[in-house]
C-alpha cells in the first residue's frame, strides 16, 4: 500500500535521477476551492450574473437553492491544502511549510497564476516576499535549471519549486517565472470526455518531448448549458461533471507509450488516481532498466 504522505521518499530509488519536470506528479486544479463563502464578488472568474444571484437579498425561499447551485458548480476539491498534501498531491494551482518540515524528502510545485487583483510590481514583490518568508531555505532557486532532478533537490535540502507570473520591475532568484520557457499548461477547453480524449492524448504525447515543466490539465470545462441541464439531470454538480476524466486518465496511465511526463492536474482528485500516478513513475523507470 502506498503511503501518500511520503510517496516520493518511498519511491526514491526509482525517481532520484529523474528530472523533476519528468516525474508524474498528482496535481489539483483550483487547489484552494474546497470551500465557498456565502458572499462572492464579481471578478474575472465568476460571471457577474452568478454573483448577482448568489448575493441577492431578494431571493427569499429560493436563496438556498441558488446558493447550493453555485456551490455545486464552484468547488473543485474535497479537502484543504493540508489534506491534499497528505493525500499525495505535489502540484498546487496556487499550508505547505509545516508539511514539508515533517516530510523532508517530498518536493512540491507551487504555481501562482491568474493574479487578477494584482496591479503592479509592488503586488508581485509582496507575493514573492511572502513566499520567501514562509518557505525560505526550502525554495529551489531557478539557477538549478530545468533539468534538476528530484535527487539533487533532496541533496540540497530544497523542496519547493515556486512559479509566478512575471511582472516588469519585480522578480526573485527563488521564484521561477511562469512563462513558456519554464512551465507550460495547455488548456484543452473541452466540454465532454468524448472531445477531451483526443485533445488529452495529444497533450500527453507533447509532454514527453517538452523541455519545460509541463502540466496536463485533465479537466472539463462546463458551460452555462451544462449548469442549466444539471437542474434536471446528471451531472448535477462540478464534481459529478469532473470525475468523468479520472477513468480517462487512468486509461492513459496504463499505456506505457502514453505515460505522462509532468503534472497530472484534475478536479476532485481521488486516492485511486494518486496511486496510479505514483505507480506510473515506478513502472516507467523499471522499463528503462
Amino acid at each position: 500500500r502506498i503511503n501518500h504522505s511520503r510517496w516520493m521518499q518511498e519511491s526514491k530509488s526509482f525517481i532520484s535521477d529523474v528530472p523533476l519536470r519528468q516525474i508524474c506528479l498528482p496535481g489539483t486544479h483550483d487547489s484552494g476551492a474546497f470551500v465557498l463563502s456565502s458572499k462572492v464578488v464579481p471578478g474575472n472568474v465568476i460571471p457577474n450574473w452568478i454573483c448577482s444571484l448568489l448575493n441577492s437579498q431578494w431571493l427569499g425561499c429560493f436563496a438556498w437553492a441558488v446558493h447550493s447551485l453555485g456551490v455545486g458548480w464552484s468547488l473543485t476539491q474535497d479537502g484543504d491544502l493540508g489534506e491534499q498534501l497528505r493525500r499525495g498531491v505535489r502540484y498546487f494551482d496556487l499550508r505547505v511549510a509545516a508539511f514539508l518540515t515533517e516530510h523532508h524528502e517530498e518536493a512540491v510545485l507551487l504555481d501562482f497564476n491568474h493574479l487578477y487583483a494584482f496591479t503592479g510590481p509592488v503586488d508581485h514583490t509582496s507575493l514573492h516576499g511572502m513566499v520567501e518568508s514562509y518557505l525560505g531555505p526550502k525554495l529551489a532557486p531557478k539557477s538549478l535549471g530545468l533539468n534538476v532532478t528530484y535527487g539533487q533537490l533532496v541533496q540540497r535540502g530544497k523542496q519547493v519549486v515556486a512559479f509566478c507570473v512575471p511582472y516588469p520591475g519585480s522578480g526573485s532568484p527563488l521564484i521561477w517565472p511562469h512563462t513558456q520557457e519554464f512551465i507550460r499548461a495547455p488548456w484543452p477547453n473541452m466540454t465532454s470526455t468524448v472531445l477531451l480524449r483526443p485533445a488529452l492524448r495529444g497533450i500527453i504525447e507533447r509532454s514527453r518531448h517538452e523541455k519545460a515543466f509541463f502540466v496536463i490539465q485533465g479537466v472539463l470545462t462546463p458551460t452555462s448549458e451544462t449548469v442549466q441541464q444539471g437542474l434536471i439531470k446528471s451531472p448535477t454538480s462540478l464534481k459529478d461533471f469532473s470525475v468523468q476524466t479520472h477513468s480517462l486518465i487512468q486509461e492513459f496511465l496504463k499505456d506505457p507509450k502514453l505515460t505522462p511526463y509532468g503534472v497530472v492536474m484534475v478536479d476532485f482528485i481521488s486516492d485511486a488516481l494518486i496511486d496510479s500516478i505514483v505507480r506510473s513513475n515506478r513502472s516507467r523507470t523499471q522499463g528503462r532498466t
Side-chain angles (χ1 to χ4, degrees):
R1 178 179 174 82
I2 296 172
N3 183 334
H4 289 173
S5 68
R6 56 183 75 252
W7 71 262
M8 297 186 81
Q9 179 180 351
E10 293 184 351
S11 303
K12 194 174 181 179
S13 61
F14 302 99
I15 66 174
S16 185
D17 296 328
V18 179
L20 185 63
R21 63 182 175 81
Q22 292 186 353
I23 296 176
C24 196
L25 300 173
T28 49
H29 174 239
D30 289 343
S31 310
F34 51 82
V35 66
L36 183 66
S37 169
S38 61
K39 300 291 285 184
V40 296
V41 295
N44 297 64
V45 177
I46 304 176
N48 289 344
W49 68 271
I50 292 182
C51 295
S52 298
L53 281 175
L54 294 179
N55 291 333
S56 174
Q57 301 296 315
W58 311 103
L59 288 172
C61 62
F62 296 105
W64 66 270
V66 174
H67 189 262
S68 296
L69 178 65
V71 169
W73 287 95
S74 300
L75 300 184
T76 60
Q77 304 300 330
D78 287 318
D80 61 25
L81 300 187
E83 182 178 343
Q84 290 177 43
L85 281 163
R86 290 188 293 272
R87 292 177 62 190
V89 175
R90 294 296 177 264
Y91 168 92
F92 293 88
D93 193 29
L94 138 190
R95 242 161 329 229
V96 297
F99 174 87
L100 293 174
T101 299
E102 297 175 3
H103 303 81
H104 59 277
E105 292 192 0
E106 300 301 303
V108 171
L109 275 60
L110 296 181
D111 193 1
F112 298 92
N113 58 75
H114 295 83
L115 305 176
Y116 296 117
F118 282 40
T119 58
V122 173
D123 293 325
H124 287 261
T125 301
S126 297
L127 174 61
H128 295 172
M130 181 184 68
V131 174
E132 291 178 25
S133 67
Y134 277 100
L135 299 172
K138 295 180 173 62
L139 289 167
K142 59 177 180 253
S143 60
L144 291 177
L146 288 168
N147 289 323
V148 63
T149 67
Y150 163 69
Q152 290 170 338
L153 287 181
V154 172
Q155 290 173 1
R156 290 169 170 78
K158 305 301 181 184
Q159 295 178 266
V160 181
V161 177
F163 298 93
C164 185
V165 176
Y167 192 91
S170 66
S172 166
L174 297 178
I175 306 296
W176 300 52
H178 185 111
T179 63
Q180 292 291 302
E181 178 184 355
F182 290 95
I183 184 168
R184 301 185 180 188
W187 178 35
N189 192 19
M190 296 299 171
T191 58
S192 71
T193 53
V194 173
L195 297 173
L196 182 63
R197 179 185 294 275
L200 201 58
R201 184 185 183 98
I203 290 173
I204 290 174
E205 290 175 342
R206 177 180 166 189
S207 77
R208 298 167 68 89
H209 304 286
E210 283 288 344
K211 295 181 179 180
F213 281 85
F214 202 81
V215 181
I216 296 132
Q217 298 199 44
V219 297
L220 290 172
T221 304
T223 64
S224 57
E225 288 77 16
T226 310
V227 178
Q228 292 168 11
Q229 291 174 7
L231 294 171
I232 57 175
K233 66 179 183 179
S234 182
T236 59
S237 68
L238 184 60
K239 184 173 185 178
D240 292 340
F241 184 62
S242 300
V243 295
Q244 302 174 74
T245 67
H246 292 199
S247 58
L248 178 58
I249 295 171
Q250 293 268 24
E251 179 183 322
F252 288 139
L253 287 169
K254 292 176 182 178
D255 186 343
K257 296 180 180 180
L258 284 175
T259 302
Y261 282 21
V263 176
V264 176
M265 184 180 75
V266 298
D267 291 320
F268 296 100
I269 199 163
S270 67
D271 291 346
L273 184 55
I274 291 172
D275 281 348
S276 296
I277 293 172
V278 173
R279 290 194 175 101
S280 72
N281 292 295
R282 184 171 303 183
S283 301
R284 188 181 76 195
T285 306
Q286 288 175 331
R288 290 177 175 172
T289 58

